[in-house]
Amino acid sequence: MKKDISFPKDFIWGTAASSYQIEGAWNEDGKGLSIWDTFSHTIGKIANNENGDVSIDHYHRFKDDIHLMSELGLKTYRFSTSWPRIFPDETGQINPKGVAFYDRMIDELLRNQVEPYLCLYHWDLPQWLQDKGGWSVRETTSYFADYAGFMSDKFSDRVKNWITHNEPFVTAGAGYFIGEHAPGIKEPISALKAVHHLLLSHGLATQAIRAASRQPLKVGIVLNLSPVHPASSFKKDIAAAERFDIIQNRAFLDPLLLGTSPVQELKLLSALVGSVIKPGDLKLINVLDFLGVNYYTRTVIRHDPKFPVFSASQIHPEGNEYSGMWEIYPDGLSELLLHIWGKYGPPSNPQQKMPEIMVTENGIPVPDGVDFDGRVRDERRIRYLENHILQVHKAIQLGVPVMGYFVWSFLDNFEWALGYGQRFGIVYVDFKTQKRTIKDSGHWFADVIRNNGFKA
Ligand code: FCB
């Protein structure tokens, strides 16, 4: 017999997206260049040399897209704003057409009873700031705070939930360490600096958002967290997994939730800490109303001296199910939520006011297509989402106050270095005609929202 899997009364169900991945209009209405424009226009950086110039043209189609959300009964939408649409160049002059775009978009969301979660940074740094050193220089943090304050002044009358950063681990790691994302830098020291400056900019931006706010609001950050498992029970693999856990998870969770930095624990990096982390920084960073957790997969790590700095590399265990990008490992989601709550929440820190936790991204790429009868039968995605939502439910049952769950993504879109090859949407997009088709998973998720749960 199937059991009722139901969620707390005010549980937040939503979907997520980001500016560069969906907007297109890369050079319209006064927008400045972002590092992703530069990067994707560089031959050899993106699969098939694709780019987000047009993407799924959300800039022009946002009204229809929001109507589709409302048709599906989606009540919450997490999106990001493009910083170079607002501040196109280093003069600091505001681009009124960029502001007007988000103004119209937010109004349209509210008209359709969709609550906006506004994320200020989902990787599209203005190119003019990269030219000054980007996240590897400390000055970028105050530019970010200015941008955050401006946005709060403009939009906090209508937007109550703010996110400073999406996945600073990826911003720093993929952008400055392995160079697979914009700006394509491969310098471990710059990456380490970027980690700290991203966190510091979160603290400064939070202050700025609050200072300019027009009503009580919540400010959070979104981290991509992943339980790190050792590849074997050999001591070296266990130690390598612990090192990797520092950089993947603790380098962000500890400063944000405890006001401490675990970086000293990595011998090779400890010397750096004093020069990058200034007195008072950690206290500034330690502010959070909610923690967004993006979960896709676990990370299995072995000792590997060839890998710079951490002597650790990732393996993909045999015998498990994989998607086009990652191992499918639903159990990792409850493991992660329980771990965060146990380590950083009241169970071990009675004094600590644990911010709200929510799952701000979860999803799977599936090579979907429209069938002869116009349907998109993405069974695999439904199975993936169901299995992960079950793990959220389990964590709630075990006492973790998870407040919400967002599917990545609403529409198929530009998947960074992988171009248009990985479809994550619950709505299919024909990239040539821009036609949208609700996938079976879209209808399924609409039912989940309507029933505040499902039978499993
Ligand atoms: C996350 C990103 C998001 C999307 C998904 C698949 O790391 O935040 O933009 O690319 O992965």
Side-chain angles (χ1 to χ4, degrees):
M1 246 252 302
K2 290 197 166 183
K3 272 205 333 225
D4 272 333
I5 305 296
S6 50
F7 281 78
K9 194 163 91 354
D10 298 320
F11 196 75
I12 299 160
W13 298 99
T15 61
S18 87
S19 47
Y20 187 74
Q21 291 179 280
I22 64 170
E23 284 179 2
W26 70 287
N27 60 357
E28 275 180 55
D29 290 344
K31 174 180 167 293
L33 277 185
S34 85
I35 54 173
W36 271 93
D37 293 312
T38 310
F39 192 70
S40 67
H41 292 163
T42 310
I43 300 294
K45 298 295 186 194
I46 313 288
N48 307 313
N49 291 317
E50 288 164 342
N51 58 52
D53 289 3
V54 176
S55 188
I56 56 167
D57 198 28
H58 181 71
Y59 189 77
H60 299 112
R61 294 166 194 264
F62 73 93
K63 281 198 175 165
D64 291 345
D65 289 341
I66 292 171
H67 293 164
L68 204 55
M69 274 178 210
S70 131
E71 203 182 304
L72 275 179
L74 297 176
K75 302 251 176 343
T76 317
Y77 177 50
R78 180 189 150 217
F79 65 97
S80 78
T81 50
S82 156
W83 187 353
R85 257 191 220 293
I86 309 291
F87 290 100
D89 57 42
E90 64 179 309
T91 62
Q93 292 280 332
I94 283 141
N95 173 29
K97 289 191 174 166
V99 179
F101 168 64
Y102 294 113
D103 222 38
R104 289 196 301 274
M105 198 180 112
I106 290 165
D107 283 346
E108 194 62 33
L109 286 168
L110 295 173
R111 242 195 308 278
N112 285 276
Q113 275 98 47
V114 182
E115 185 72 32
Y117 274 62
L118 189 156
C119 174
L120 290 165
Y121 190 76
H122 201 126
W123 308 348
D124 42 358
L125 187 76
Q127 181 61 46
W128 60 268
L129 272 170
Q130 188 59 47
D131 298 341
K132 294 175 183 286
W135 291 111
S136 60
V137 300
R138 197 172 165 101
E139 288 69 33
T140 301
T141 62
S142 48
Y143 285 103
F144 187 63
D146 290 347
Y147 160 56
F150 173 79
M151 296 299 272
S152 172
D153 181 46
K154 273 283 170 246
F155 299 117
S156 65
D157 57 337
R158 286 156 289 161
V159 177
K160 291 191 276 242
N161 292 285
W162 291 74
I163 294 163
T164 53
H165 282 281
N166 176 71
E167 303 189 349
F169 173 71
V170 178
T171 308
Y176 291 79
F177 188 68
I178 53 173
E180 282 177 7
H181 279 187
I185 292 169
K186 295 182 192 168
E187 295 168 6
I189 301 288
S190 300
L192 253 296
K193 289 182 180 166
V195 167
H196 181 63
H197 296 146
L198 286 157
L199 287 168
L200 179 62
S201 77
H202 159 80
L204 295 172
T206 303
Q207 283 184 345
I209 294 168
R210 287 181 179 161
S213 68
R214 293 168 185 277
Q215 62 170 326
L217 37 84
K218 290 183 181 162
V219 188
I221 194 168
V222 163
L223 303 178
N224 58 312
L225 302 170
S226 175
V228 180
H229 295 162
S232 77
S233 52
F234 287 129
K235 268 202 189 118
K236 280 193 158 180
D237 285 339
I238 294 176
E242 281 167 6
R243 285 194 300 277
F244 201 84
D245 181 48
I246 290 182
I247 199 64
Q248 160 96 54
N249 300 312
R250 289 184 52 211
F252 302 93
L253 288 170
D254 290 12
L256 287 160
L257 294 170
L258 306 174
T260 59
S261 169
V263 178
Q264 283 94 328
E265 293 173 37
L266 293 168
K267 268 198 226 102
L268 274 171
L269 301 178
S270 51
L272 198 78
V273 173
S275 63
V276 180
I277 306 181
K278 309 269 187 239
D281 284 3
L282 289 166
K283 192 153 180 273
L284 269 173
I285 296 169
N286 183 202
V287 283
L288 214 53
D289 296 321
F290 65 90
L291 171 68
V293 176
N294 288 359
Y295 177 79
Y296 290 94
T297 188
R298 66 168 171 168
T299 309
V300 183
I301 290 292
R302 64 161 177 208
H303 176 73
D304 181 357
K306 287 196 299 299
F307 208 79
V309 188
F310 308 108
S311 301
S313 66
Q314 194 174 355
I315 63 148
H316 302 290
E318 286 304 317
N320 297 337
E321 199 186 345
Y322 286 82
S323 73
M325 284 166 71
W326 292 300
E327 181 188 356
I328 298 174
Y329 193 77
D331 289 357
L333 181 50
S334 55
E335 179 185 332
L336 183 64
L337 294 168
L338 285 159
H339 169 74
I340 296 171
W341 183 243
K343 178 165 176 199
Y344 298 94
S348 55
N349 302 300
Q351 273 76 284
Q352 164 99 2
K353 185 183 160 286
M354 179 69 183
E356 294 175 355
I357 306 178
M358 56 185 94
V359 177
T360 35
E361 278 182 33
N362 177 236
I364 181 176
V366 180
D368 306 310
V370 181
D371 293 337
F372 71 100
D373 55 356
R375 254 176 75 185
V376 181
R377 294 172 169 80
D378 58 338
E379 280 306 310
R380 195 176 193 203
R381 178 170 294 104
I382 295 176
R383 189 155 49 88
Y384 178 97
L385 298 178
E386 180 170 307
N387 287 336
H388 284 78
I389 296 172
L390 275 172
Q391 295 301 317
V392 176
H393 188 261
K394 175 176 166 187
I396 295 174
Q397 298 296 311
L398 293 172
V400 189
V402 186
M403 314 289 293
Y405 173 92
F406 292 67
V407 173
W408 183 271
S409 185
F410 180 52
L411 300 147
D412 291 335
N413 58 55
F414 177 78
E415 179 47 37
W416 308 112
L418 302 177
Y420 294 95
Q422 303 290 334
R423 293 178 176 273
F424 274 91
I426 55 172
V427 174
Y428 182 89
V429 179
D430 180 325
F431 296 127
K432 290 208 179 75
T433 62
Q434 298 292 355
K435 184 173 185 305
R436 276 74 165 142
T437 306
I438 300 170
K439 300 181 191 180
D440 282 2
S441 61
H443 293 295
W444 176 84
F445 192 53
D447 282 346
V448 172
I449 298 174
R450 204 169 310 117
N451 299 319
N452 199 24
F454 52 88
K455 286 188 190 299

